[in-house]
Amino acid sequence: MLISTKGRYALRVMLELAQYPEGDYIPLTVVAESQGISEKYLESIIAALSKAGFVDGLRGKGGGYRLNRKPEEYTVGSILRIVEGSIAPVACLVDDNTQKCGRSTCCRTLPVWEKLGELIDNYLDSVSLADMACDGGVE
């Protein structure tokens, strides 16, 4: 599993929005400038987050984006799954099963990958935006 730039930037966008007072709409230009990320690239990320119901958008003067929940209600895992799709460590564990391995019934390494996937999911789902926003450190 390799988290893409899109996944890393999605976390940065969400963390940026979490820094503002609840309810404030933040223009994407402000987020892009603050994070040093192309506004054009952020548009695709914020569109996915908005479609998934993680942020609210408002057009026009005074518009922008905002979180629609408290930072502690967002997990790193949930954000990454929106922009990355699966975060499974190997293709045969991807939920859509398009990469189904013909050896899965006799694969002696499958339990290792399943346990690794479980550990990754549990850890990423245990870290919230609030955890990251506090001091940037997590345990």
Side-chain angles (χ1 to χ4, degrees):
M1 175 192 76
L2 182 66
I3 303 299
S4 71
T5 301
K6 194 171 189 176
R8 295 190 324 267
Y9 286 1
L11 284 177
R12 287 171 51 186
V13 167
M14 294 294 283
L15 275 169
E16 177 77 18
L17 294 176
Q19 301 302 311
Y20 291 93
E22 191 175 333
D24 285 4
Y25 284 94
I26 311 306
L28 199 55
T29 54
V30 170
V31 176
E33 185 175 317
S34 173
Q35 292 297 316
I37 303 171
S38 155
E39 185 176 352
K40 190 76 172 164
Y41 193 56
L42 286 184
E43 286 174 358
S44 67
I45 294 169
I46 205 78
L49 294 169
S50 180
K51 183 177 179 182
F54 274 42
V55 297
D56 293 329
L58 180 66
R59 295 179 186 241
K61 186 175 174 144
Y65 294 90
R66 68 177 184 191
L67 300 182
N68 55 25
R69 298 177 230 166
K70 296 185 181 316
E72 53 271 9
E73 296 179 38
Y74 297 94
T75 67
V76 171
S78 65
I79 295 165
L80 289 176
R81 284 183 200 94
I82 288 170
V83 295
E84 296 285 346
S86 174
I87 52 177
V90 291
C92 62
L93 294 179
V94 174
D95 292 337
D96 66 7
N97 273 337
T98 57
Q99 303 280 333
K100 189 70 171 171
C101 175
R103 296 183 47 83
S104 63
T105 58
C106 63
C107 179
R108 293 172 54 181
T109 63
L110 185 59
V112 171
W113 306 130
E114 289 173 331
K115 180 65 175 177
L116 178 60
E118 183 182 315
L119 290 168
I120 290 169
D121 284 342
N122 288 341
Y123 175 69
L124 294 177
D125 289 336
S126 75
V127 180
S128 72
L129 276 184
D131 295 331
M132 294 175 67
C134 283
D135 62 1
V138 293
E139 296 183 23

